[in-house]
Amino acid sequence: MSRFDTVVVVDWSGAASPSPARPAKDAIWLGIARDTGTEAQYHRTRHAATVALADLFQTEIAAGRRVLAGFDFPFAYPRGFARALTGTDDPLALWAELAARITDGPDNANNRLDAAAAINRLFPGTGPFWGNGLGRDIADLPRTRAGYASPFADRRRCDTTPGAQPVWKLAGAGSVGSQALLGIPRLQSLRKRFGADISVRPFETQDTPVTLVELFPSLIAGTVADLAEEAEIKDRAQVRVLASALRALEPGKLDALSREGDAVEGWILGLGHEALLERAARRACAPLLPPRLRDDCFAMPQGVAWVPVDEALARLRAALHPVTGVEQLRTAEAVGRILAEPVMARRSNPPLPNSAVDGYGFAFAATGAGVNRLPLLAGRAAAGQPYDQPVPQGHALRILTGATLPQGVDTVVLEEDTATDGAVVAFDGPVRARANTRRAGEDVTEGTQALPAGHRLRAPDLALLSALGLADLPVRSRLRVGVLSTGDEIVPDPADPALPHQIWDANRPMLLALAAGWHCAPVDLGHVRDDRALIRDRLDEAAGQVDVILTSGGASAGDEDHVSALLRAQGTLSSWRIALKPGRPLALALWQGVPVFGLPGNPVAALVCALVFARPALSLLAGAGWVEPVGFTVPAGFSKSKKPGRREYLRARLTAEGTAEVFGSEGSGRISGLSWADGLVELPDAALDVTPGTPVRYIPYSAFGI
């Protein structure tokens, strides 16, 4: 026995038409629990859900991971039914029989009621199936249970749990019979596809990469209600909570539960173990709060004096992890946000084959070499105005860009390549089969991943997700970045007067603007004088408001460097002396579990440290992963002799000739150079003599997200 790496819980649907594009109840929901967390997927049709499950199974098998997939419909029927229909008590033989009798289209159109009536005719009485909610009568299928008589038991042994419904019920609330008739054939198709890699318990006992089980989310309905998110759809909560609970069980216990029950009538996973499932659910679904950073996450090894930039970045990357929570947001409002889960296409794009041009559509088989003349049908097909009649072979139809291809049309000829008198269209052949047409799903296929978790959403992404019918998205909460300035010499507001020995605060508006530009939520923590008690109070207040704190000034080891002294005394400070110019000191600490980046006080050094270190760190903390700036090599337009031992960043901009020129002074107090520049020239740690024409690495501001 080996553990199940992934648990899938499926809330199935017996609907006769697709569910709404916007996530809704009584549709198909998948809860997928892995060691990285639990996600919920919504699917409008059984076909889409089956495709998504097949893709998931294939991916997990390829990765060497085992899957337990549970479904909320009966896997078997009361004793005697399988034998009467197939000659054997094997429920899987009944699966094959039902799959042969049921048709279920991609749009959920199905024959389940007629198939049930045909089965009823094989037995005396009026059963076993009952329930017809259609407008037409179906012979041998009672509309209700009144006057019903069946040769088989009404329920299985496991169907006595509160809320369970008879397996024969096909209409009305809790019509699990319809779910089973439409679910079992879909599972049989997965069995045929995956062969020896899939098994069904408790009917089969072998260990396989994928194991299918029957379950009943209402076993822990009260716990699900307690753990549901605010305004969460009940079906979504059920699959999310139960998948998390099963994944949290001890592996041996979960394996044992999956083997319990009746090998003829089937069994509900976890029946009789409700308290165990409830405890696991509460343990797994406690309020979703990311783990705090370790108290020693910023600690440097003893004896380390000067840290090279690349090593500092690597250590910072290894020390951090996402600290933001998860929320649902309307797609139209999600620009700049980070996907908390992979999002799956709920519909193919395009949903149906359509024309890529204005022209004339026909069947390719009716054409040949030379001049082709096809009689034109009356009417036309246009985008949003489909032609709802088949096009006979040998005829053509006027068709416009984006129009759905009518039945009988598989090829379109461009309007400019034709001549017509209104009754006949003529064009030179041969034409290419399927010319000027778009296949259904050629952009994105229903049920496949549209975008991965951790992706930061841009305007083009909103176009894609909206086109796929994704109205709401699971996104990371914005990283709350607090910015604090310290120092007696600082005047916080440029509207206030400054004495000759004072300066207006340049760093705080700069850092707040950087945080906003990086799609974080900037929080202005204001300015505090060089008073440790005041600084302590402000940090205490900030720790309850933000996810990360940026300070500027007071990060060195001098007498007035109160920030570093306070962090050393009451926080967990690691003062990183980085082999970097400008901005060698970088104070990294935790204050009540909140990471603090103590940046230098000089604006040039503060900006360089923020771009090089804070930007990738904040991206990782926000859930978007580590980001690195993309630079490129250009000829130098300056001269410089650089000593070994430190990496240097020079304020620079590109000239019309494509060379990089640098600001006239390297002084870290020359703020005008930051505005003059449009990027940085990065000089390596080693010694370097730069003369005009020497290749240097130029990183534009835009590569840092500003």
Side-chain angles (χ1 to χ4, degrees), residues 325-329 334 337-341 457 473-477:
V326 179
E327 59 183 312
Q328 289 288 126
L329 198 64
R337 303 299 283 272
I338 301 161
L339 284 174
E341 304 170 4
L457 295 165
L473 301 171
V475 297
R476 290 275 184 178
S477 302

Side-chain angles (χ1 to χ4, degrees), residues 30 34 57 63 316 340 420:
L30 275 61
R34 301 182 175 91
F57 292 170
L316 194 59
T420 181

Side-chain angles (χ1 to χ4, degrees), residues 8 22 31 142 171 185 232 286 361 380 393 461 488 504 518 528 530 596 646 653 676 699:
V8 183
R22 186 171 182 176
E232 186 176 20
R380 68 173 192 174
Q393 187 164 308
D461 302 318
D488 287 343
W504 285 290
W518 293 334
V528 180
D530 285 327
V596 179
R646 288 194 296 180
R653 65 186 183 190
W676 172 90
I699 309 174

Side-chain angles (χ1 to χ4, degrees), residues 134-159:
L134 300 181
R136 62 180 175 90
D137 289 330
I138 300 177
D140 299 305
L141 182 66
R143 282 194 174 273
T144 67
R145 200 173 181 182
Y148 165 85
S150 171
F152 307 106
D154 191 43
R155 296 172 183 265
R156 303 174 297 162
R157 183 160 61 97
C158 60
D159 290 333

Side-chain angles (χ1 to χ4, degrees), residues 147-512:
Y148 165 85
S150 171
F152 307 106
D154 191 43
R155 296 172 183 265
R156 303 174 297 162
R157 183 160 61 97
C158 60
D159 290 333
T160 57
T161 182
Q165 297 284 344
V167 295
W168 313 114
K169 183 179 179 180
L170 302 181
S175 52
V176 296
S178 283
Q179 290 185 317
L181 285 180
L182 296 172
I184 287 174
R186 292 287 182 177
L187 298 189
Q188 179 66 9
S189 71
L190 293 172
R191 290 185 70 230
K192 290 180 65 176
R193 171 169 176 173
F194 291 96
D197 285 337
I198 199 168
S199 61
V200 186
R201 292 183 182 173
F203 313 138
E204 298 174 307
T205 59
Q206 68 269 31
D207 285 342
T208 52
V210 178
T211 299
L212 308 181
V213 296
E214 178 185 341
L215 44 74
F216 188 34
S218 292
L219 282 178
I220 57 170
T223 301
V224 169
D226 290 344
L227 297 174
E229 300 167 358
E230 185 176 352
E232 186 176 20
I233 295 170
K234 178 183 175 181
D235 299 342
R236 183 185 190 275
Q238 287 187 155
V239 299
R240 179 181 60 80
V241 172
L242 187 52
S244 299
L246 294 175
R247 182 63 174 71
L249 289 175
E250 190 271 327
K253 186 61 178 178
L254 180 57
D255 182 77
L257 291 180
S258 71
R259 298 178 186 274
E260 288 185 355
D262 193 318
V264 173
E265 288 192 330
W267 196 253
I268 296 170
L269 179 73
L271 183 61
H273 304 278
E274 289 84 350
L276 176 69
L277 294 179
E278 288 172 348
R279 288 194 299 272
R282 294 188 184 278
R283 185 170 67 251
C285 297
L288 185 59
L289 297 175
R292 291 287 196 179
L293 299 175
R294 301 189 322 274
D295 285 346
D296 62 348
C297 66
F298 294 133
M300 295 295 291
Q302 290 187 354
V304 173
W306 294 100
V307 185
V309 170
D310 289 340
E311 182 179 343
L313 289 171
R315 289 185 176 277
L316 194 59
R317 183 174 187 176
L320 302 176
H321 58 68
V323 298
T324 48
V326 179
E327 59 183 312
Q328 289 288 126
L329 198 64
R330 295 285 293 173
T331 299
E333 302 168 357
V335 67
R337 303 299 283 272
I338 301 161
L339 284 174
E341 304 170 4
V343 290
M344 315 300 287
R346 298 205 180 98
R347 191 174 78 167
S348 294
N349 187 46
L352 295 170
N354 64 75
S355 177
V357 299
D358 291 345
Y360 297 88
F362 46 81
F364 169 76
T367 66
V371 176
N372 291 261
R373 297 181 178 86
L374 301 179
L376 272 175
L377 297 176
R380 68 173 192 174
Q385 302 173 29
Y387 186 82
D388 57 5
Q389 300 294 320
V391 175
Q393 187 164 308
H395 290 68
L397 178 75
R398 174 74 168 145
I399 191 165
L400 303 182
T401 303
T404 299
L405 299 184
Q407 182 181 344
V409 172
D410 60 17
T411 302
V412 176
V413 65
L414 189 66
E415 181 175 10
E416 289 84 347
D417 295 335
T418 66
T420 181
D421 59 4
V424 174
V425 62
F427 54 89
D428 286 331
V431 295
R432 178 174 52 84
R434 295 180 294 280
N436 300 312
T437 65
R438 306 184 182 107
R439 301 186 313 277
E442 73 172 26
D443 180 21
V444 181
T445 304
E446 182 177 3
T448 61
Q449 181 175 290
L451 290 173
H455 182 81
R456 191 180 292 280
L457 295 165
R458 307 157 299 166
D461 302 318
L462 302 193
L464 170 64
L465 300 180
S466 297
L468 297 174
L470 293 155
D472 299 275
L473 301 171
V475 297
R476 290 275 184 178
S477 302
R478 288 191 188 275
L479 186 74
R480 298 167 301 173
V481 179
V483 178
L484 174 66
S485 287
T486 65
D488 287 343
E489 77 281 15
I490 298 296
V491 176
D493 190 338
D496 294 334
L499 298 173
H501 64 276
Q502 294 178 313
I503 57 175
W504 285 290
D505 194 347
N507 287 343
R508 188 160 49 91
M510 176 179 71
L511 296 174
L512 287 167

